[in-house]
Amino acid sequence: MAVLLPLASSLSLSCGGRDAQPELNGASQTTLLEGAPPLKNRVLLPDDELAPKALKLLGGSGADLNCNGCHSITREYVRYWRALSDTALSNCLTDLQVSTPESARSMLACMRQVPTDPTSAYKAKNLGMYSTAVPLPWFEYLFKQAFGDTWETEMKKFRERVKMPVGEPPQTHVPYTQEEFDLLMEWFTRGLPKLETLLPEDPAPSTCNPGISADVATHVNQMKLEGWRAVNAERGLLMHGCTAGSDPRDCLASYPRAGEQPYGQGWESLEGAKLRILREQSYRSYYWTRSSPDGRFVGHGGASAGTGSTIVDLLQNRGIGVAAKYDPSFFPDNSGFAFQGSKAFFCEEGLLTSGPANISFTEPQCSSNGQVRLYQHVGAALGGGDYWTVDSGFVSDDGGKSSTPGKDPTANFASTAKIRLTPMVHTGSTFEPMPSIEKNAPFEGDTVISPSTRWLISRLGGSRGRHLGYVLRRLVPTRTETGYTVETPEVARYCLNGGKPNFSFDERWMVMHHYIENNANDAKDLGYTGLSDPGFKPYAEKGGANIYLVDMLTGKRTRVTKVQPGQYALFPHFRSDGWLYFAVRNGAASSTEYVVASDAALVLP
């Protein structure tokens, strides 16, 4: 990691030199100098006083509703945030005086996912810890310089996408004050002194030992008869692209197959399985893609214009604008859906079938709460039980948008990592949360709940954030007078590479995407002899990602796709009848994406 000069030195470029900048003995103030206000004031506390205060602001000493609400506060993660911040300062925040409108717009372009595309969304990662300063005066000045009279509209879009911590008080995380930001960034720009003393390295697992208990077979056999796939079929839930009573393998036949003109990608790789192109879109989606259990509606972050996210109605072949950021989820009984914005929003499925042009979440079919945090996943208890959500520490994964080949996300989860569960009651018109429950899950994150709510699966991290595999747990709830208590015993470990997983509705299968990396295992998996095989060279240079199915009974992994170099198949998930959906991106050079369906889980024995 490159070591940069402290920000105080850099600020001398914009604040009249070091002597002109306020020197603060343990407290800071925002002094509006001529031109731009300072992004950060100096703090003169000694390291041994500064460091514990800064770590507490992150949530590293147990404080609630700070960065630890979404991320595990580990040495590795804090160092990673420092690297992002250093890069932001050297690449994007290059004119802290904001000397011209052109300079302001250039800095803001650097903060976008695609800097050359003025419609591209802003990306918090490009700012590192400076994303926590978004509500403060310097950024307001930046937008006034860049956009003049329209600055408030433009800054609102920016704040909704970039500001950290996520959300608006009092429902969730409270933004840092200028004093707090000054103190926090002083620690980062000094190089995180005392980090090792205050946050000792937790002993992390170095290996993954695979094992599948007999509980898994018992559960799979039970879900074959009683799970949400069977229940929805018995209820007569009509699947998109199917006729009543038809074999699921005959569904979606009206959609073109991958490899047919004009779709010449040839992504099919599993003998006997078909890939269907459900939709082509000319905008970049953000983070995961999820669909309703009947397969009609597909949600994702990102939109062609105007709104933060989109729900695609495949039946009517149109997009519905959604005033949220990302993280769509659909309850497995087809009763409702969720999105994340400044807080979590939950709505009745009937809102979608009523044909709205847009969804603002002010509709009477919608409710919101600040309990359910980012990267949530949802389920519904069988037999008329309550609805559940799960969230945990996570590692963001929005790949395929960089010219650099992607890699499987790291697994920076601490020994203090927890799984957070929130039961929800359906009142008949809205979903209302009950008290949340936290359970210890050392070194685990990116947790997903199964459709029946009886399983939880998490990614397992090792030393230096290395992904080791997946941990499967049972979820055993007990109703009390005030809510629930739960037990989460481990029942299996699957030692496989990949991103955040998802369950089939009969809970026989797990599905995930895996990035093609420059190693012999990935070369051989694609059918090449090794790294030196000329056929693998384009993948090593351009990257890619494929979809994989995992049999929960055996742990056997099967590749579903073989994308072309530079293409990314991402965010797979199931609909109720066993078809799985996923997104395919054409890489950083193209805004074209596809929503694709596969019958692979119906074809495998």
Side-chain angles (χ1 to χ4, degrees):
M1 181 189 306
V3 178
L4 303 182
L5 292 174
L7 186 56
S9 299
S10 299
L11 280 172
S12 65
L13 299 174
S14 61
C15 300
R18 181 182 296 270
D19 293 338
Q21 188 169 327
E23 294 191 358
L24 303 167
N25 188 13
S28 65
Q29 60 187 11
T30 302
T31 305
L32 291 178
L33 305 179
E34 182 179 356
L39 176 59
K40 171 199 168 294
N41 296 292
R42 294 176 63 196
V43 177
L44 301 183
L45 286 174
D47 287 350
D48 57 357
E49 293 183 37
L50 174 71
K53 292 183 177 182
L55 186 60
K56 184 176 181 180
L57 286 172
L58 290 179
S61 58
D64 290 332
L65 299 180
N66 291 318
C67 303
N68 61 320
C70 293
H71 307 283
S72 296
I73 307 302
T74 65
R75 287 188 191 179
E76 190 72 19
Y77 229 129
V78 174
R79 291 191 187 109
Y80 173 63
W81 289 337
R82 184 202 171 199
L84 293 179
S85 305
D86 289 350
T87 301
L89 189 63
S90 60
N91 291 356
C92 295
L93 302 173
T94 54
D95 178 14
L96 297 182
Q97 190 175 353
V98 198
S99 53
T100 66
E102 292 74 18
S103 176
R105 288 191 287 269
S106 176
M107 286 190 283
L108 287 169
C110 180
M111 301 173 199
R112 294 184 184 274
Q113 289 199 333
V114 183
T116 56
D117 181 358
T119 67
S120 174
Y122 295 104
K123 191 172 185 178
K125 182 178 177 181
N126 290 358
L127 279 171
M129 292 303 298
Y130 292 103
S131 60
T132 65
V134 168
L136 301 178
W138 187 86
F139 276 94
E140 180 176 314
Y141 185 91
L142 177 69
F143 273 83
K144 287 179 177 178
Q145 279 283 75
F147 295 108
D149 292 342
T150 63
W151 74 272
E152 289 181 285
T153 300
E154 296 298 328
M155 188 167 185
K156 181 180 179 182
K157 299 177 187 176
F158 180 75
R159 287 186 62 158
E160 288 176 348
R161 183 66 64 176
V162 171
K163 181 181 73 66
M164 296 290 167
V166 171
E168 300 293 342
Q171 293 89 353
T172 180
H173 305 57
V174 177
Y176 292 127
T177 64
Q178 184 72 53
E179 282 187 347
E180 291 170 332
F181 175 74
D182 294 343
L183 193 150
L184 185 65
M185 289 311 301
E186 185 73 26
W187 188 47
F188 274 82
T189 54
R190 289 188 198 179
L192 306 172
K194 308 294 183 181
L195 175 65
E196 288 75 15
T197 302
L198 295 171
L199 198 62
E201 189 76 88
D202 298 317
S206 58
T207 59
C208 176
N209 298 310
I212 303 171
S213 74
D215 290 349
V216 175
T218 300
H219 177 83
V220 167
N221 289 332
Q222 184 179 10
M223 290 300 100
K224 182 177 181 180
L225 301 175
E226 302 175 13
W228 277 113
R229 179 176 177 181
V231 171
N232 286 336
E234 185 176 352
R235 291 166 51 209
L237 180 65
L238 183 61
M239 306 301 299
H240 176 69
C242 303
T243 57
S246 64
D247 187 321
R249 289 175 292 183
D250 297 328
C251 296
L252 302 173
S254 64
Y255 288 97
R257 286 181 69 170
E260 295 178 352
Q261 294 299 326
Y263 305 99
Q265 289 82 4
W267 300 322
E268 294 180 350
S269 70
L270 181 62
E271 184 177 355
K274 301 181 291 293
L275 298 182
R276 297 287 186 183
I277 309 291
L278 302 184
R279 183 176 169 88
E280 180 179 347
Q281 57 203 31
S282 58
Y283 61 88
R284 298 178 180 90
S285 64
Y286 301 122
Y287 300 101
W288 70 45
T289 297
R290 296 289 187 263
S291 72
S292 57
D294 63 3
R296 173 179 171 178
F297 299 102
V298 178
H300 49 235
S304 56
T307 57
S309 296
T310 302
I311 293 178
V312 174
D313 184 343
L314 292 173
L315 183 63
Q316 299 180 359
N317 193 27
R318 69 182 185 92
I320 302 168
V322 179
K325 297 178 182 178
Y326 30 57
D327 296 0
S329 295
F330 292 82
F331 285 114
D333 60 354
N334 223 47
S335 64
F337 63 96
F339 260 96
Q340 287 282 354
S342 59
K343 46 193 169 183
F345 298 105
F346 294 85
C347 299
E348 294 279 310
E349 194 80 5
L351 176 59
L352 293 178
T353 57
S354 67
N358 296 284
I359 294 174
S360 64
F361 297 107
T362 59
E363 294 85 357
Q365 302 96 322
C366 299
S367 60
S368 64
N369 71 73
Q371 287 180 233
V372 178
R373 299 174 184 171
L374 296 182
Y375 256 46
Q376 88 293 333
H377 208 83
V378 303
L382 295 161
D386 289 326
Y387 296 83
W388 289 75
T389 72
V390 65
D391 58 75
S392 64
F394 64 85
V395 177
S396 296
D397 181 3
D398 190 23
K401 293 183 176 178
S402 170
S403 58
T404 303
K407 295 183 178 181
D408 284 340
T410 57
N412 291 301
F413 310 123
S415 64
T416 55
K418 296 179 183 297
I419 294 171
R420 193 166 184 271
L421 296 148
T422 304
M424 305 187 74
V425 175
H426 189 209
T427 65
S429 58
T430 59
F431 298 90
E432 298 298 330
M434 300 171 68
S436 299
I437 310 111
E438 290 188 344
K439 298 296 293 184
N440 293 329
F443 306 106
E444 296 176 35
D446 283 333
T447 305
V448 169
I449 195 168
S450 71
S452 71
T453 72
R454 297 183 184 181
W455 269 356
L456 299 166
I457 195 161
S458 304
R459 296 177 61 235
L460 174 67
S463 60
R464 304 189 65 81
R466 184 166 65 94
H467 171 87
L468 297 176
Y470 299 88
V471 176
L472 182 68
R473 296 176 178 274
R474 290 175 57 214
L475 173 57
V476 186
T478 301
R479 196 71 159 86
T480 69
E481 292 183 359
T482 58
Y484 283 92
T485 61
V486 300
E487 298 298 327
T488 55
E490 181 179 327
V491 295
R493 290 198 177 200
Y494 302 89
C495 299
L496 305 166
N497 293 325
K500 185 165 182 167
N502 216 319
F503 290 105
S504 61
F505 277 62
D506 62 1
E507 305 188 17
R508 166 69 184 272
W509 303 98
M510 176 171 66
V511 65
M512 80 279 287
H513 62 262
H514 166 59
Y515 290 91
I516 301 168
E517 300 186 25
N518 189 18
N519 60 54
N521 288 336
D522 281 358
K524 292 177 181 178
D525 179 68
L526 293 176
Y528 302 104
T529 57
L531 289 176
S532 61
D533 192 316
F536 183 69
K537 184 177 180 180
Y539 288 103
E541 294 174 347
K542 298 180 180 180
N546 281 305
I547 305 300
Y548 290 82
L549 274 172
V550 177
D551 188 337
M552 302 300 293
L553 293 173
T554 65
K556 181 181 179 181
R557 188 174 79 161
T558 302
R559 181 166 45 82
V560 174
T561 62
K562 185 179 181 181
V563 297
Q564 300 300 308
Q567 292 182 325
Y568 292 79
L570 301 164
F571 314 127
H573 60 280
F574 282 91
R575 68 183 205 178
S576 186
D577 64 351
W579 279 83
L580 63 91
Y581 287 4
F582 54 93
V584 175
R585 291 179 178 153
N586 275 333
S590 172
S591 60
T592 302
E593 292 188 10
Y594 305 92
V595 179
V596 184
S598 169
D599 63 354
L602 301 172
V603 171
L604 287 172

